[in-house]
PDB file of all heavy atoms in Angstrom:
ATOM      1  N   ASP A1066     -35.294 -68.505 -38.998  1.00 97.00           N
ATOM      2  CA  ASP A1066     -35.173 -68.109 -37.682  1.00 97.00           C
ATOM      3  C   ASP A1066     -36.339 -67.017 -37.282  1.00 97.00           C
ATOM      4  O   ASP A1066     -36.192 -66.516 -36.024  1.00 97.00           O
ATOM      5  CB  ASP A1066     -33.795 -67.493 -37.327  1.00 97.00           C
ATOM      6  CG  ASP A1066     -33.421 -66.308 -38.205  1.00 97.00           C
ATOM      7  OD1 ASP A1066     -34.294 -65.779 -38.941  1.00 97.00           O
ATOM      8  OD2 ASP A1066     -32.344 -65.892 -38.060  1.00 97.00           O
ATOM      9  N   GLY A1067     -37.114 -66.678 -38.070  1.00 96.00           N
ATOM     10  CA  GLY A1067     -38.129 -65.629 -37.785  1.00 96.00           C
ATOM     11  C   GLY A1067     -37.587 -64.179 -37.867  1.00 96.00           C
ATOM     12  O   GLY A1067     -38.363 -63.367 -37.634  1.00 96.00           O
ATOM     13  N   ARG A1068     -36.314 -64.029 -38.049  1.00 95.00           N
ATOM     14  CA  ARG A1068     -35.730 -62.642 -38.069  1.00 95.00           C
ATOM     15  C   ARG A1068     -35.359 -62.234 -39.470  1.00 95.00           C
ATOM     16  O   ARG A1068     -35.506 -61.199 -39.957  1.00 95.00           O
ATOM     17  CB  ARG A1068     -34.573 -62.497 -37.066  1.00 95.00           C
ATOM     18  CG  ARG A1068     -35.058 -62.611 -35.639  1.00 95.00           C
ATOM     19  CD  ARG A1068     -33.866 -62.485 -34.609  1.00 95.00           C
ATOM     20  NE  ARG A1068     -32.767 -63.343 -34.811  1.00 95.00           N
ATOM     21  CZ  ARG A1068     -32.620 -64.597 -34.337  1.00 95.00           C
ATOM     22  NH1 ARG A1068     -33.630 -65.067 -33.690  1.00 95.00           N
ATOM     23  NH2 ARG A1068     -31.478 -65.347 -34.619  1.00 95.00           N
ATOM     24  N   ALA A1069     -34.516 -63.091 -40.047  1.00 96.00           N
ATOM     25  CA  ALA A1069     -33.976 -62.810 -41.421  1.00 96.00           C
ATOM     26  C   ALA A1069     -35.083 -62.928 -42.461  1.00 96.00           C
ATOM     27  O   ALA A1069     -36.025 -63.666 -42.313  1.00 96.00           O
ATOM     28  CB  ALA A1069     -32.889 -63.851 -41.795  1.00 96.00           C
ATOM     29  N   ASP A1070     -35.023 -62.114 -43.469  1.00 97.00           N
ATOM     30  CA  ASP A1070     -36.046 -62.062 -44.525  1.00 97.00           C
ATOM     31  C   ASP A1070     -35.641 -63.239 -45.461  1.00 97.00           C
ATOM     32  O   ASP A1070     -34.688 -63.179 -46.267  1.00 97.00           O
ATOM     33  CB  ASP A1070     -36.055 -60.729 -45.350  1.00 97.00           C
ATOM     34  CG  ASP A1070     -37.060 -60.761 -46.358  1.00 97.00           C
ATOM     35  OD1 ASP A1070     -37.812 -61.721 -46.529  1.00 97.00           O
ATOM     36  OD2 ASP A1070     -37.229 -59.734 -47.039  1.00 97.00           O
ATOM     37  N   ASP A1071     -36.468 -64.318 -45.430  1.00 98.00           N
ATOM     38  CA  ASP A1071     -36.208 -65.465 -46.207  1.00 98.00           C
ATOM     39  C   ASP A1071     -36.798 -65.431 -47.695  1.00 98.00           C
ATOM     40  O   ASP A1071     -36.571 -66.325 -48.409  1.00 98.00           O
ATOM     41  CB  ASP A1071     -36.597 -66.745 -45.514  1.00 98.00           C
ATOM     42  CG  ASP A1071     -35.764 -67.168 -44.346  1.00 98.00           C
ATOM     43  OD1 ASP A1071     -34.482 -66.963 -44.413  1.00 98.00           O
ATOM     44  OD2 ASP A1071     -36.302 -67.428 -43.316  1.00 98.00           O
ATOM     45  N   ALA A1072     -37.585 -64.423 -47.930  1.00 97.00           N
ATOM     46  CA  ALA A1072     -38.269 -64.353 -49.162  1.00 97.00           C
ATOM     47  C   ALA A1072     -37.445 -64.370 -50.422  1.00 97.00           C
ATOM     48  O   ALA A1072     -37.597 -65.119 -51.372  1.00 97.00           O
ATOM     49  CB  ALA A1072     -39.235 -63.083 -49.245  1.00 97.00           C
ATOM     50  N   PRO A1073     -36.266 -63.594 -50.460  1.00 97.00           N
ATOM     51  CA  PRO A1073     -35.509 -63.635 -51.726  1.00 97.00           C
ATOM     52  C   PRO A1073     -34.994 -65.038 -51.937  1.00 97.00           C
ATOM     53  O   PRO A1073     -34.996 -65.598 -53.083  1.00 97.00           O
ATOM     54  CB  PRO A1073     -34.270 -62.701 -51.401  1.00 97.00           C
ATOM     55  CG  PRO A1073     -34.925 -61.716 -50.451  1.00 97.00           C
ATOM     56  CD  PRO A1073     -35.846 -62.604 -49.547  1.00 97.00           C
ATOM     57  N   ALA A1074     -34.379 -65.779 -50.872  1.00 98.00           N
ATOM     58  CA  ALA A1074     -33.801 -67.086 -51.232  1.00 98.00           C
ATOM     59  C   ALA A1074     -34.952 -68.120 -51.487  1.00 98.00           C
ATOM     60  O   ALA A1074     -34.843 -68.936 -52.440  1.00 98.00           O
ATOM     61  CB  ALA A1074     -33.042 -67.482 -50.000  1.00 98.00           C
ATOM     62  N   LEU A1075     -36.085 -67.988 -50.889  1.00 97.00           N
ATOM     63  CA  LEU A1075     -37.199 -68.827 -51.111  1.00 97.00           C
ATOM     64  C   LEU A1075     -37.670 -68.700 -52.434  1.00 97.00           C
ATOM     65  O   LEU A1075     -38.008 -69.657 -53.303  1.00 97.00           O
ATOM     66  CB  LEU A1075     -38.249 -68.644 -50.034  1.00 97.00           C
ATOM     67  CG  LEU A1075     -39.303 -69.820 -49.938  1.00 97.00           C
ATOM     68  CD1 LEU A1075     -38.854 -71.194 -49.959  1.00 97.00           C
ATOM     69  CD2 LEU A1075     -40.232 -69.513 -48.801  1.00 97.00           C
ATOM     70  N   GLN A1076     -37.757 -67.464 -52.951  1.00 97.00           N
ATOM     71  CA  GLN A1076     -38.236 -67.226 -54.340  1.00 97.00           C
ATOM     72  C   GLN A1076     -37.315 -67.786 -55.356  1.00 97.00           C
ATOM     73  O   GLN A1076     -37.646 -68.385 -56.366  1.00 97.00           O
ATOM     74  CB  GLN A1076     -38.518 -65.660 -54.536  1.00 97.00           C
ATOM     75  CG  GLN A1076     -39.063 -65.328 -55.930  1.00 97.00           C
ATOM     76  CD  GLN A1076     -40.459 -65.955 -56.039  1.00 97.00           C
ATOM     77  OE1 GLN A1076     -41.339 -65.667 -55.270  1.00 97.00           O
ATOM     78  NE2 GLN A1076     -40.671 -66.901 -56.993  1.00 97.00           N
ATOM     79  N   ARG A1077     -35.993 -67.627 -55.128  1.00 97.00           N
ATOM     80  CA  ARG A1077     -35.003 -68.211 -56.030  1.00 97.00           C
ATOM     81  C   ARG A1077     -35.097 -69.717 -56.098  1.00 97.00           C
ATOM     82  O   ARG A1077     -35.024 -70.411 -57.090  1.00 97.00           O
ATOM     83  CB  ARG A1077     -33.544 -67.871 -55.591  1.00 97.00           C
ATOM     84  CG  ARG A1077     -33.199 -66.379 -56.045  1.00 97.00           C
ATOM     85  CD  ARG A1077     -31.653 -66.064 -55.848  1.00 97.00           C
ATOM     86  NE  ARG A1077     -31.343 -66.120 -54.298  1.00 97.00           N
ATOM     87  CZ  ARG A1077     -31.391 -65.041 -53.565  1.00 97.00           C
ATOM     88  NH1 ARG A1077     -31.856 -63.985 -54.113  1.00 97.00           N
ATOM     89  NH2 ARG A1077     -30.982 -65.120 -52.292  1.00 97.00           N
ATOM     90  N   ALA A1078     -35.386 -70.338 -54.908  1.00 98.00           N
ATOM     91  CA  ALA A1078     -35.543 -71.756 -54.861  1.00 98.00           C
ATOM     92  C   ALA A1078     -36.841 -72.131 -55.698  1.00 98.00           C
ATOM     93  O   ALA A1078     -36.775 -73.140 -56.388  1.00 98.00           O
ATOM     94  CB  ALA A1078     -35.763 -72.229 -53.449  1.00 98.00           C
ATOM     95  N   LEU A1079     -37.907 -71.485 -55.569  1.00 96.00           N
ATOM     96  CA  LEU A1079     -39.103 -71.777 -56.289  1.00 96.00           C
ATOM     97  C   LEU A1079     -38.863 -71.633 -57.781  1.00 96.00           C
ATOM     98  O   LEU A1079     -39.257 -72.361 -58.585  1.00 96.00           O
ATOM     99  CB  LEU A1079     -40.237 -70.855 -55.792  1.00 96.00           C
ATOM    100  CG  LEU A1079     -40.809 -71.179 -54.521  1.00 96.00           C
ATOM    101  CD1 LEU A1079     -41.718 -70.122 -53.956  1.00 96.00           C
ATOM    102  CD2 LEU A1079     -41.615 -72.538 -54.504  1.00 96.00           C
ATOM    103  N   ASP A1080     -38.158 -70.493 -58.213  1.00 96.00           N
ATOM    104  CA  ASP A1080     -37.824 -70.283 -59.593  1.00 96.00           C
ATOM    105  C   ASP A1080     -36.867 -71.213 -60.182  1.00 96.00           C
ATOM    106  O   ASP A1080     -37.047 -71.564 -61.347  1.00 96.00           O
ATOM    107  CB  ASP A1080     -37.273 -68.810 -59.772  1.00 96.00           C
ATOM    108  CG  ASP A1080     -38.285 -67.773 -59.437  1.00 96.00           C
ATOM    109  OD1 ASP A1080     -39.396 -67.956 -59.277  1.00 96.00           O
ATOM    110  OD2 ASP A1080     -37.728 -66.577 -59.211  1.00 96.00           O
ATOM    111  N   SER A1081     -36.064 -71.861 -59.329  1.00 96.00           N
ATOM    112  CA  SER A1081     -35.022 -72.806 -59.901  1.00 96.00           C
ATOM    113  C   SER A1081     -35.514 -74.255 -59.865  1.00 96.00           C
ATOM    114  O   SER A1081     -34.979 -75.091 -60.465  1.00 96.00           O
ATOM    115  CB  SER A1081     -33.827 -72.789 -59.001  1.00 96.00           C
ATOM    116  OG  SER A1081     -33.222 -71.502 -59.029  1.00 96.00           O
ATOM    117  N   CYS A1082     -36.641 -74.476 -59.157  1.00 96.00           N
ATOM    118  CA  CYS A1082     -37.158 -75.890 -59.012  1.00 96.00           C
ATOM    119  C   CYS A1082     -37.673 -76.431 -60.235  1.00 96.00           C
ATOM    120  O   CYS A1082     -38.568 -75.820 -60.924  1.00 96.00           O
ATOM    121  CB  CYS A1082     -38.231 -75.821 -57.934  1.00 96.00           C
ATOM    122  SG  CYS A1082     -38.766 -77.538 -57.489  1.00 96.00           S
ATOM    123  N   PRO A1083     -37.243 -77.584 -60.663  1.00 95.00           N
ATOM    124  CA  PRO A1083     -37.793 -78.256 -61.780  1.00 95.00           C
ATOM    125  C   PRO A1083     -39.210 -78.631 -61.550  1.00 95.00           C
ATOM    126  O   PRO A1083     -39.612 -78.824 -60.456  1.00 95.00           O
ATOM    127  CB  PRO A1083     -36.855 -79.458 -61.991  1.00 95.00           C
ATOM    128  CG  PRO A1083     -35.685 -79.286 -61.171  1.00 95.00           C
ATOM    129  CD  PRO A1083     -36.030 -78.404 -60.078  1.00 95.00           C
ATOM    130  N   ASP A1084     -39.964 -78.859 -62.680  1.00 93.00           N
ATOM    131  CA  ASP A1084     -41.307 -79.334 -62.586  1.00 93.00           C
ATOM    132  C   ASP A1084     -41.484 -80.603 -61.775  1.00 93.00           C
ATOM    133  O   ASP A1084     -40.573 -81.498 -61.874  1.00 93.00           O
ATOM    134  CB  ASP A1084     -41.878 -79.515 -64.065  1.00 93.00           C
ATOM    135  CG  ASP A1084     -41.981 -78.306 -64.835  1.00 93.00           C
ATOM    136  OD1 ASP A1084     -41.834 -77.154 -64.260  1.00 93.00           O
ATOM    137  OD2 ASP A1084     -42.442 -78.376 -66.052  1.00 93.00           O
ATOM    138  N   ASP A1085     -42.551 -80.770 -61.058  1.00 92.00           N
ATOM    139  CA  ASP A1085     -42.806 -81.961 -60.266  1.00 92.00           C
ATOM    140  C   ASP A1085     -41.907 -82.217 -59.160  1.00 92.00           C
ATOM    141  O   ASP A1085     -41.779 -83.365 -58.820  1.00 92.00           O
ATOM    142  CB  ASP A1085     -42.975 -83.131 -61.241  1.00 92.00           C
ATOM    143  CG  ASP A1085     -44.169 -83.002 -62.153  1.00 92.00           C
ATOM    144  OD1 ASP A1085     -45.299 -82.506 -61.792  1.00 92.00           O
ATOM    145  OD2 ASP A1085     -43.970 -83.305 -63.384  1.00 92.00           O
ATOM    146  N   ARG A1086     -41.313 -81.273 -58.650  1.00 95.00           N
ATOM    147  CA  ARG A1086     -40.356 -81.399 -57.548  1.00 95.00           C
ATOM    148  C   ARG A1086     -40.781 -80.567 -56.284  1.00 95.00           C
ATOM    149  O   ARG A1086     -41.720 -79.715 -56.489  1.00 95.00           O
ATOM    150  CB  ARG A1086     -38.810 -80.971 -57.877  1.00 95.00           C
ATOM    151  CG  ARG A1086     -38.221 -81.798 -59.039  1.00 95.00           C
ATOM    152  CD  ARG A1086     -37.979 -83.149 -58.518  1.00 95.00           C
ATOM    153  NE  ARG A1086     -37.515 -84.079 -59.637  1.00 95.00           N
ATOM    154  CZ  ARG A1086     -36.199 -84.354 -59.833  1.00 95.00           C
ATOM    155  NH1 ARG A1086     -35.317 -83.881 -59.158  1.00 95.00           N
ATOM    156  NH2 ARG A1086     -35.959 -85.198 -60.830  1.00 95.00           N
ATOM    157  N   VAL A1087     -40.102 -80.652 -55.257  1.00 95.00           N
ATOM    158  CA  VAL A1087     -40.503 -80.053 -53.908  1.00 95.00           C
ATOM    159  C   VAL A1087     -39.414 -79.110 -53.461  1.00 95.00           C
ATOM    160  O   VAL A1087     -38.244 -79.577 -53.512  1.00 95.00           O
ATOM    161  CB  VAL A1087     -40.773 -81.152 -52.948  1.00 95.00           C
ATOM    162  CG1 VAL A1087     -41.125 -80.633 -51.498  1.00 95.00           C
ATOM    163  CG2 VAL A1087     -41.900 -82.072 -53.360  1.00 95.00           C
ATOM    164  N   VAL A1088     -39.842 -78.031 -52.978  1.00 97.00           N
ATOM    165  CA  VAL A1088     -38.980 -77.025 -52.244  1.00 97.00           C
ATOM    166  C   VAL A1088     -39.369 -77.333 -50.899  1.00 97.00           C
ATOM    167  O   VAL A1088     -40.582 -76.995 -50.426  1.00 97.00           O
ATOM    168  CB  VAL A1088     -39.154 -75.582 -52.639  1.00 97.00           C
ATOM    169  CG1 VAL A1088     -38.395 -74.697 -51.637  1.00 97.00           C
ATOM    170  CG2 VAL A1088     -38.688 -75.360 -54.099  1.00 97.00           C
ATOM    171  N   PHE A1089     -38.497 -77.831 -50.031  1.00 97.00           N
ATOM    172  CA  PHE A1089     -38.815 -78.269 -48.626  1.00 97.00           C
ATOM    173  C   PHE A1089     -38.281 -77.238 -47.631  1.00 97.00           C
ATOM    174  O   PHE A1089     -37.203 -76.804 -47.643  1.00 97.00           O
ATOM    175  CB  PHE A1089     -38.154 -79.661 -48.357  1.00 97.00           C
ATOM    176  CG  PHE A1089     -38.383 -80.075 -46.899  1.00 97.00           C
ATOM    177  CD1 PHE A1089     -39.746 -80.405 -46.582  1.00 97.00           C
ATOM    178  CD2 PHE A1089     -37.422 -80.254 -46.074  1.00 97.00           C
ATOM    179  CE1 PHE A1089     -39.993 -80.814 -45.245  1.00 97.00           C
ATOM    180  CE2 PHE A1089     -37.635 -80.632 -44.679  1.00 97.00           C
ATOM    181  CZ  PHE A1089     -38.962 -80.973 -44.382  1.00 97.00           C
ATOM    182  N   LEU A1090     -39.205 -76.877 -46.747  1.00 98.00           N
ATOM    183  CA  LEU A1090     -38.932 -75.891 -45.611  1.00 98.00           C
ATOM    184  C   LEU A1090     -38.975 -76.727 -44.306  1.00 98.00           C
ATOM    185  O   LEU A1090     -40.092 -77.083 -43.921  1.00 98.00           O
ATOM    186  CB  LEU A1090     -39.966 -74.741 -45.525  1.00 98.00           C
ATOM    187  CG  LEU A1090     -39.883 -73.754 -46.535  1.00 98.00           C
ATOM    188  CD1 LEU A1090     -40.318 -74.178 -47.889  1.00 98.00           C
ATOM    189  CD2 LEU A1090     -40.740 -72.529 -46.025  1.00 98.00           C
ATOM    190  N   PRO A1091     -37.799 -77.105 -43.696  1.00 98.00           N
ATOM    191  CA  PRO A1091     -37.791 -77.811 -42.511  1.00 98.00           C
ATOM    192  C   PRO A1091     -38.477 -76.918 -41.389  1.00 98.00           C
ATOM    193  O   PRO A1091     -38.767 -75.755 -41.571  1.00 98.00           O
ATOM    194  CB  PRO A1091     -36.317 -77.985 -42.213  1.00 98.00           C
ATOM    195  CG  PRO A1091     -35.672 -77.762 -43.460  1.00 98.00           C
ATOM    196  CD  PRO A1091     -36.459 -76.865 -44.229  1.00 98.00           C
ATOM    197  N   ALA A1092     -38.641 -77.479 -40.287  1.00 98.00           N
ATOM    198  CA  ALA A1092     -39.196 -76.780 -39.083  1.00 98.00           C
ATOM    199  C   ALA A1092     -38.452 -75.438 -38.933  1.00 98.00           C
ATOM    200  O   ALA A1092     -37.203 -75.439 -39.030  1.00 98.00           O
ATOM    201  CB  ALA A1092     -39.148 -77.620 -37.815  1.00 98.00           C
ATOM    202  N   GLY A1093     -39.222 -74.398 -38.667  1.00 98.00           N
ATOM    203  CA  GLY A1093     -38.725 -73.087 -38.394  1.00 98.00           C
ATOM    204  C   GLY A1093     -39.700 -72.085 -38.745  1.00 98.00           C
ATOM    205  O   GLY A1093     -40.845 -72.350 -39.225  1.00 98.00           O
ATOM    206  N   THR A1094     -39.408 -70.768 -38.491  1.00 97.00           N
ATOM    207  CA  THR A1094     -40.236 -69.701 -38.788  1.00 97.00           C
ATOM    208  C   THR A1094     -39.588 -68.885 -39.948  1.00 97.00           C
ATOM    209  O   THR A1094     -38.504 -68.375 -39.771  1.00 97.00           O
ATOM    210  CB  THR A1094     -40.466 -68.838 -37.609  1.00 97.00           C
ATOM    211  OG1 THR A1094     -41.121 -69.605 -36.559  1.00 97.00           O
ATOM    212  CG2 THR A1094     -41.392 -67.541 -37.899  1.00 97.00           C
ATOM    213  N   TYR A1095     -40.209 -68.811 -41.056  1.00 97.00           N
ATOM    214  CA  TYR A1095     -39.652 -68.108 -42.261  1.00 97.00           C
ATOM    215  C   TYR A1095     -40.401 -66.805 -42.412  1.00 97.00           C
ATOM    216  O   TYR A1095     -41.605 -66.699 -42.682  1.00 97.00           O
ATOM    217  CB  TYR A1095     -39.881 -69.072 -43.487  1.00 97.00           C
ATOM    218  CG  TYR A1095     -39.146 -70.325 -43.300  1.00 97.00           C
ATOM    219  CD1 TYR A1095     -39.700 -71.416 -42.629  1.00 97.00           C
ATOM    220  CD2 TYR A1095     -37.940 -70.483 -43.828  1.00 97.00           C
ATOM    221  CE1 TYR A1095     -39.067 -72.619 -42.508  1.00 97.00           C
ATOM    222  CE2 TYR A1095     -37.124 -71.753 -43.715  1.00 97.00           C
ATOM    223  CZ  TYR A1095     -37.805 -72.768 -43.015  1.00 97.00           C
ATOM    224  OH  TYR A1095     -37.130 -73.965 -42.989  1.00 97.00           O
ATOM    225  N   ARG A1096     -39.637 -65.686 -42.227  1.00 96.00           N
ATOM    226  CA  ARG A1096     -40.121 -64.391 -42.309  1.00 96.00           C
ATOM    227  C   ARG A1096     -40.070 -63.975 -43.788  1.00 96.00           C
ATOM    228  O   ARG A1096     -39.033 -64.195 -44.501  1.00 96.00           O
ATOM    229  CB  ARG A1096     -39.380 -63.314 -41.517  1.00 96.00           C
ATOM    230  CG  ARG A1096     -40.060 -61.935 -41.518  1.00 96.00           C
ATOM    231  CD  ARG A1096     -39.360 -61.017 -40.707  1.00 96.00           C
ATOM    232  NE  ARG A1096     -38.091 -60.634 -41.092  1.00 96.00           N
ATOM    233  CZ  ARG A1096     -37.814 -59.641 -42.061  1.00 96.00           C
ATOM    234  NH1 ARG A1096     -38.814 -58.999 -42.462  1.00 96.00           N
ATOM    235  NH2 ARG A1096     -36.571 -59.352 -42.372  1.00 96.00           N
ATOM    236  N   LEU A1097     -41.172 -63.552 -44.329  1.00 96.00           N
ATOM    237  CA  LEU A1097     -41.226 -63.126 -45.723  1.00 96.00           C
ATOM    238  C   LEU A1097     -41.536 -61.582 -45.734  1.00 96.00           C
ATOM    239  O   LEU A1097     -42.566 -61.074 -45.348  1.00 96.00           O
ATOM    240  CB  LEU A1097     -42.387 -63.795 -46.400  1.00 96.00           C
ATOM    241  CG  LEU A1097     -42.383 -65.304 -46.332  1.00 96.00           C
ATOM    242  CD1 LEU A1097     -43.552 -65.927 -47.091  1.00 96.00           C
ATOM    243  CD2 LEU A1097     -41.104 -65.951 -46.923  1.00 96.00           C
ATOM    244  N   GLY A1098     -40.539 -60.880 -46.362  1.00 94.00           N
ATOM    245  CA  GLY A1098     -40.625 -59.491 -46.542  1.00 94.00           C
ATOM    246  C   GLY A1098     -41.463 -58.975 -47.712  1.00 94.00           C
ATOM    247  O   GLY A1098     -41.721 -57.914 -47.954  1.00 94.00           O
ATOM    248  N   ARG A1099     -41.917 -59.996 -48.530  1.00 92.00           N
ATOM    249  CA  ARG A1099     -42.737 -59.854 -49.665  1.00 92.00           C
ATOM    250  C   ARG A1099     -43.470 -61.134 -50.037  1.00 92.00           C
ATOM    251  O   ARG A1099     -43.037 -62.225 -49.509  1.00 92.00           O
ATOM    252  CB  ARG A1099     -41.959 -59.288 -50.904  1.00 92.00           C
ATOM    253  CG  ARG A1099     -40.872 -60.361 -51.373  1.00 92.00           C
ATOM    254  CD  ARG A1099     -40.041 -59.737 -52.535  1.00 92.00           C
ATOM    255  NE  ARG A1099     -38.915 -60.448 -52.835  1.00 92.00           N
ATOM    256  CZ  ARG A1099     -38.891 -61.464 -53.687  1.00 92.00           C
ATOM    257  NH1 ARG A1099     -39.971 -61.854 -54.273  1.00 92.00           N
ATOM    258  NH2 ARG A1099     -37.740 -62.102 -54.062  1.00 92.00           N
ATOM    259  N   GLY A1100     -44.457 -61.055 -50.900  1.00 90.00           N
ATOM    260  CA  GLY A1100     -45.121 -62.312 -51.350  1.00 90.00           C
ATOM    261  C   GLY A1100     -44.250 -63.202 -52.160  1.00 90.00           C
ATOM    262  O   GLY A1100     -43.205 -62.819 -52.693  1.00 90.00           O
ATOM    263  N   LEU A1101     -44.631 -64.455 -52.350  1.00 91.00           N
ATOM    264  CA  LEU A1101     -43.978 -65.393 -53.292  1.00 91.00           C
ATOM    265  C   LEU A1101     -44.883 -65.651 -54.441  1.00 91.00           C
ATOM    266  O   LEU A1101     -45.996 -65.679 -54.423  1.00 91.00           O
ATOM    267  CB  LEU A1101     -43.643 -66.628 -52.495  1.00 91.00           C
ATOM    268  CG  LEU A1101     -42.757 -66.514 -51.208  1.00 91.00           C
ATOM    269  CD1 LEU A1101     -42.733 -67.848 -50.433  1.00 91.00           C
ATOM    270  CD2 LEU A1101     -41.405 -66.155 -51.563  1.00 91.00           C
ATOM    271  N   ARG A1102     -44.080 -66.047 -55.488  1.00 89.00           N
ATOM    272  CA  ARG A1102     -44.770 -66.451 -56.762  1.00 89.00           C
ATOM    273  C   ARG A1102     -44.458 -67.931 -57.078  1.00 89.00           C
ATOM    274  O   ARG A1102     -43.288 -68.317 -56.943  1.00 89.00           O
ATOM    275  CB  ARG A1102     -44.390 -65.613 -57.965  1.00 89.00           C
ATOM    276  CG  ARG A1102     -44.694 -64.180 -57.820  1.00 89.00           C
ATOM    277  CD  ARG A1102     -44.185 -63.318 -59.049  1.00 89.00           C
ATOM    278  NE  ARG A1102     -42.733 -63.746 -59.395  1.00 89.00           N
ATOM    279  CZ  ARG A1102     -41.668 -63.380 -58.739  1.00 89.00           C
ATOM    280  NH1 ARG A1102     -41.710 -62.544 -57.694  1.00 89.00           N
ATOM    281  NH2 ARG A1102     -40.455 -63.632 -59.154  1.00 89.00           N
ATOM    282  N   THR A1103     -45.473 -68.702 -57.523  1.00 85.00           N
ATOM    283  CA  THR A1103     -45.099 -70.076 -58.044  1.00 85.00           C
ATOM    284  C   THR A1103     -45.542 -70.208 -59.447  1.00 85.00           C
ATOM    285  O   THR A1103     -46.025 -69.209 -59.992  1.00 85.00           O
ATOM    286  CB  THR A1103     -45.926 -71.080 -57.240  1.00 85.00           C
ATOM    287  OG1 THR A1103     -47.431 -70.842 -57.339  1.00 85.00           O
ATOM    288  CG2 THR A1103     -45.676 -71.069 -55.653  1.00 85.00           C
TER     289      THR A1103
END
């Protein structure tokens, strides 16, 4: 929604994602309070 900090949940999704799979972000504005690691 562009307001909530989505970085923690998005990082957990990336960390949990099995190899060769996709973490999908539908249309929206994702505010990141910090960088992400892949």
Side-chain angles (χ1 to χ4, degrees):
D1066 62 5
R1068 293 184 306 275
D1070 183 0
D1071 288 318
L1075 192 48
Q1076 186 64 61
R1077 282 191 293 274
L1079 288 167
D1080 291 344
S1081 302
C1082 187
D1084 293 355
D1085 297 319
R1086 298 290 175 100
V1087 174
V1088 173
F1089 179 65
L1090 285 73
T1094 299
Y1095 299 83
R1096 186 176 71 83
L1097 306 177
R1099 61 181 170 88
L1101 300 172
R1102 297 174 318 280
T1103 60

